[in-house]
Amino acid sequence: VRLSSKEAIHKDDGVFKAPAPPPKVIKTVTIPTQPYQEIVTALKCRKEDKELYTVVQHVKHFNDVVEFGENQEFTDDIEYLLSGLKSNQPLNTRCLSVISLATKCAMPSFRMHLRAHGMVAMVFKTLDDSQHHQNLSLCTAALMYILSRDRLNMDLDRASLDLMIRLLELEQDASSAKLLNEKDMNKIKEKIRRLCETVHNKHLDLENITTGHLAMETLLSLTSKRAGDWFKEELRLLGGLDHIVDKVKECVDHLSSDENEEKLVASLWGAERCLRVLESVTVHNPENQSYLIAYKDSQLIVSSAKALQHCEELIQRYNRAEDSICLPDNKPLPHQNVTNHVGKAVEDCMRAIIGVLLNLTNDNEWGSTKTGEQDGLIGTAMNCVLQVPKFLPQEQRFDIRVLGLGLLINLVEYSARNRHCLVNMETSCSFDSFCTGEGDDSLKITGQIDAVQALVQLFLERERAAQLAESQTDELIKEAPTAQHDKSGEWQETSGEIQWVSTEKSDSADEKDKKEEDDEELDLNKALQHAGKHMEDCIVASYTALLLGCLCQESPINVTTVREYLPEGDFSIMTEMLKKFLSFMNLTCAVGTTGQKSISRVIEYLEHC
């Protein structure tokens, strides 16, 4: 076999040797490939007259490289800062490290990294001794506040919550804190103040930067929905509920003394935010309900009753109702020329108060009795149904009326004392009782009347209004325009084929079609408005009927009293409304809830009266 000089093979002792290795790389080029595929690198080699390429695979995409760099930067930062948080470091170093970490946490991307790597609990575990040092405790509370700015879960564990509660207690036991010096504290407060200005701080008092204030704001920003179901129990066991209830009392006490509008709004907002958290942790939680009823001899119920009475007075002074509201005596509604935020704060606080009281009295005889014992509370709840709505904007009246009715139902369902109190009470008729149109004039009653008579009157008016709205909606449906033929063209036969030939429309025809579309949209809006009004009237009538039914339970005297004000003394009008409401609840709620059982029990009782 003849071999060319280039293909010559050296033979040594019968063993053939491989050709010599290729020369060194003299140039590197990058060859881009299709999107989302790995970039391959080609190594260009030269050997005599031929060019060879060696492909190197699994080279990272530039996006992966950027992400790796960001993660590495985060890892380096957090390791450096964690090393400065350890207890063996000087106190100044620890404070500076916490402030630096809080500054980085002001950036959402860093908070995301911190949570993704599960570092939040580790940070607070390292700072577990912070309550022993006043400067460090202030920095730790600031870090908690910055982390709570996210709407996502705070990834709070029991140890972190325990630390938060301990920081809350520092305001009451400042003697245990070790203050380095006033100058250092002022520097830290100024840094924290500037830091808090960069995040959402609607409720934070920047002039009152203290450990307790920051810890309380952090706690109030949490709810059981954000922190998990365990939060309800741990907040009670660690003493967090105590601090919140005490804060409610403090805010309510200020309501009677604050003349300045800004201070008044601050007290209302403070009470409302605390009550929202308490409302959240008492939903379907009998342990928390019982604890709050018993805490400091029902301090929460006492404060809530006082706050509701204050709000009833304030809403008349700072009402946001339309000036065009009609009153029976044709007197204009007093309207203060003040900013709307005061009236809105009062309305929000009222809803939060009633929300908490609803949870504490729901299927709870002890809570109902304790709440009903508060001086004037039942009368205030009646006013929320009959009088307070006239001081609210139109869209808010339904909510406060239904909340008031719900509270009265809870109060009288299991408490004979509260039933007796309500039946023997006198009140004014509903503010809108005269607005029955051309109905029965016998419904138009003025002056003080029995509470039962006012409730029966409210039921009859809402029931008639619901029937009227239903009939009007049916008429609108019957009058709905039928489907019209398409007039944009016509079918024509040409050359043995049937084709659609469009016709040109004149400007007048276009305007006519547009007017028809507008009329149809107007009819639809009218139908929706009537349906909404019908639903509201049905719900108010149903709640009122349920309240009257609860009053009749186990009391033949109350049955006689209610029957006296019903048309022909017949309970069938109430039972029919309650049956419709029960059917509606069966469609929208889980079957077998306590509300449905109560309605069924009342229906059965009234049918045998």
Side-chain angles (χ1 to χ4, degrees), residues 27 99 103 199 232 450 482 494 499 504 550 558 581 605:
K27 188 177 181 182
I99 293 295
T103 303
V199 296
K232 296 181 179 182
D450 292 338
T482 57
T494 56
Q499 295 181 349
E504 296 182 359
C550 290
N558 292 351
F581 188 51
Y605 184 84

Side-chain angles (χ1 to χ4, degrees), residues 323-443:
D323 292 333
S324 59
I325 182 175
C326 52
L327 294 177
D329 50 7
N330 293 323
K331 291 182 180 179
L333 185 66
H335 186 83
Q336 300 294 324
N337 186 18
V338 296
T339 51
N340 283 338
H341 73 284
V342 181
K344 186 177 186 306
V346 177
E347 296 165 14
D348 293 342
C349 191
M350 288 187 76
R351 285 193 290 269
I353 294 167
I354 300 177
V356 170
L357 293 178
L358 280 171
N359 288 346
L360 297 181
T361 57
N362 183 39
D363 288 328
N364 193 319
E365 182 178 356
W366 182 27
S368 300
T369 303
K370 280 288 185 181
T371 304
E373 288 175 354
Q374 305 308 311
D375 187 30
L377 178 65
I378 295 180
T380 303
M382 279 291 292
N383 287 338
C384 288
V385 176
L386 303 175
Q387 304 301 326
V388 169
K390 71 182 177 184
F391 301 109
L392 304 180
Q394 186 68 40
E395 64 274 10
Q396 302 290 340
R397 294 174 184 173
F398 170 74
D399 292 344
I400 198 68
R401 176 166 271 171
V402 170
L403 286 172
L405 286 169
L407 179 57
L408 288 172
I409 290 170
N410 285 356
L411 289 175
V412 304
E413 185 174 10
Y414 296 108
S415 174
R417 177 197 176 280
N418 292 342
R419 288 196 291 269
H420 177 78
C421 180
L422 183 56
V423 168
N424 291 278
M425 179 185 296
E426 287 192 348
T427 184
S428 301
C429 59
S430 177
F431 78 98
D432 54 355
S433 62
F434 70 100
C435 299
T436 55
E438 299 178 356
D440 189 353
D441 291 339
S442 62
L443 291 176

